[in-house]
Amino acid sequence: VDYLQADTPAGPFQHYWSLSIEEQFYIGWPMLVMLGGAFLARGSKASRVTIGGLFFLTFAVSLAASIIVTVKSQPMAYFMTWTRVWELALGGLAAVIGPRLLVPYLLRIPLMWSSLAVIIVCGYIFTGASAFPGYIALFPTLATVILLLCGGGRGALTTDGLMSNAVSRYIGDISYSLYLWHWPLVVFALAMFGKDFSLLQGGSIIGLAIVFSALTKPFIEDVFRQRVEGGSIWRVIWLFIVCILLSLAAAAALYLPAKKAIFQAENRIIVLDKYPGAAILMEVGAVVPELEPEDPVFIPELIRARNSYPDIYTRKCH
């Protein structure tokens, strides 16, 4: 979202930012539920009202923040947790009121189909230029909630046949893996084929994402989420420790060389055999032998070049 990087192609892992919002939600939401439990422990019996009230308050405050911040800074509203958590809170509200809500069959049919239509239309008309999330994010999220509250009803005119068949259920089952896989494949395909996909190329990307998801769902996702029947909790703990150690090792492999390069750049430490300068043109046998340095570290270190802006930018004149 940087103005100076407006033409930079999207990265293959750009969509992983949303995982951070999910993880923060998984930490904060149980605390909110426990807060509701603390109120209930003081004598209140209306648990659904208390919990629902907290969910609605979270929804309302976050939505208001989303609308306000989107007007002032759409990128900030898009990526910030507090302006997106209302979408998840809306799902919590649906879970609270769902069991008590009885929608008449004749009303449920038009609501189901119109909600499904809204979701599909939003997928087509929303673009990178849309003021999202803001208030327009209410259209797909409310439509989804209405579909959830009205769904599950069987009948010739309902959406049950379209959404509850074996293929739809399977796609839903692997949807998390599909979310992680689809975007890297799209980005790599853009680099290979250009900006416009043919029908065959687009279909192949979708097919490949489904194949990868079908493999990683049972062999990676389910392995970490579910304990083997009769298995020990220590297996889960050791898997967790191994993953943490691998992550730390990978981070260290990237961080330590960069840290060393920054230290050398800051202290102007120049190793003569790596940076002979004009002396590389001297004849063999002179003070500096003829050298062919391989991949020397840049001085100044290139990471620092990212913050090397003209004064006009620090004063926000651009």
Side-chain angles (χ1 to χ4, degrees):
V1 298
D2 190 327
Y3 173 77
L4 298 179
Q5 299 179 10
D7 297 325
T8 303
F13 307 115
Q14 180 171 295
H15 61 320
Y16 282 16
W17 69 269
S18 64
L19 302 183
S20 68
I21 289 183
E22 289 183 31
E23 298 306 322
Q24 293 172 62
F25 176 78
Y26 296 146
I27 294 172
W29 203 247
M31 294 181 180
L32 189 66
V33 174
M34 286 190 285
L35 178 64
F39 282 116
L40 293 173
R42 295 184 176 182
S44 174
K45 301 297 182 183
S47 59
R48 195 174 295 274
V49 174
T50 302
I51 299 295
L54 284 172
F55 290 0
F56 179 78
L57 182 63
T58 304
F59 164 78
V61 172
S62 176
L63 176 60
S66 178
I67 295 172
I68 294 170
V69 177
T70 298
V71 174
K72 294 184 176 181
S73 175
Q74 186 269 335
M76 182 180 292
Y78 189 89
F79 289 112
M80 197 163 63
T81 302
W82 298 112
T83 53
R84 302 305 297 268
V85 76
W86 67 266
E87 300 170 63
L88 299 167
L90 188 57
L93 274 173
V96 171
I97 66 176
R100 300 290 182 92
L101 188 66
L102 296 176
V103 183
Y105 180 76
L106 292 178
L107 180 60
R108 193 164 66 228
I109 292 173
L111 283 175
M112 293 169 77
W113 285 106
S114 59
S115 298
L116 185 60
V118 168
I119 294 170
I120 294 172
V121 169
C122 286
Y124 277 96
I125 66 174
F126 285 0
T127 68
S130 302
F132 195 92
Y135 70 90
I136 65 172
L138 278 169
F139 290 103
T141 50
L142 279 176
T144 302
V145 165
I146 292 171
L147 197 59
L148 287 170
L149 295 177
C150 296
R154 297 190 178 277
L157 299 178
T158 69
T159 58
D160 182 69
L162 180 65
M163 302 186 68
S164 298
N165 60 73
V167 175
S168 296
R169 290 201 310 271
Y170 182 74
I171 295 297
D173 195 36
I174 65 171
S175 60
Y176 188 77
S177 296
L178 197 58
Y179 169 76
L180 299 180
W181 273 115
H182 83 284
W183 184 249
L185 293 175
V186 168
V187 171
F188 293 142
L190 282 172
M192 290 177 63
F193 304 126
K195 292 188 175 181
D196 295 322
F197 295 144
S198 67
L199 184 62
L200 178 61
Q201 291 169 340
S204 299
I205 294 169
I206 294 172
L208 199 57
I210 291 175
V211 169
F212 285 168
S213 302
L215 292 172
T216 55
K217 169 69 167 58
F219 296 118
I220 296 178
E221 186 179 333
D222 290 345
V223 169
F224 282 88
R225 188 175 64 238
Q226 301 171 356
R227 280 177 60 185
V228 178
E229 187 175 350
S232 170
I233 186 64
W234 286 103
R235 177 178 176 271
V236 179
I237 293 174
W238 282 117
L239 277 173
F240 175 76
I241 292 174
V242 168
C243 287
I244 291 294
L245 291 176
L246 287 173
S247 299
L248 291 174
L254 295 171
Y255 174 77
L256 294 178
K259 187 69 175 176
K260 180 181 178 182
I262 292 174
F263 176 79
Q264 290 180 338
E266 288 177 342
N267 294 276
R268 301 293 189 268
I269 299 174
I270 300 178
V271 182
L272 204 57
D273 62 349
K274 288 186 177 181
Y275 302 95
I280 197 171
L281 303 176
M282 298 177 67
E283 297 179 0
V284 177
V287 177
V288 180
E290 186 174 357
L291 299 170
E292 293 183 4
E294 295 183 1
D295 301 325
V297 178
F298 284 91
I299 296 179
E301 207 272 333
L302 290 183
I303 293 177
R304 295 191 170 276
R306 299 174 63 184
N307 299 320
S308 180
Y309 295 127
D311 185 52
I312 189 173
Y313 288 102
T314 61
R315 290 188 289 165
K316 301 187 181 299
C317 292
H318 60 292

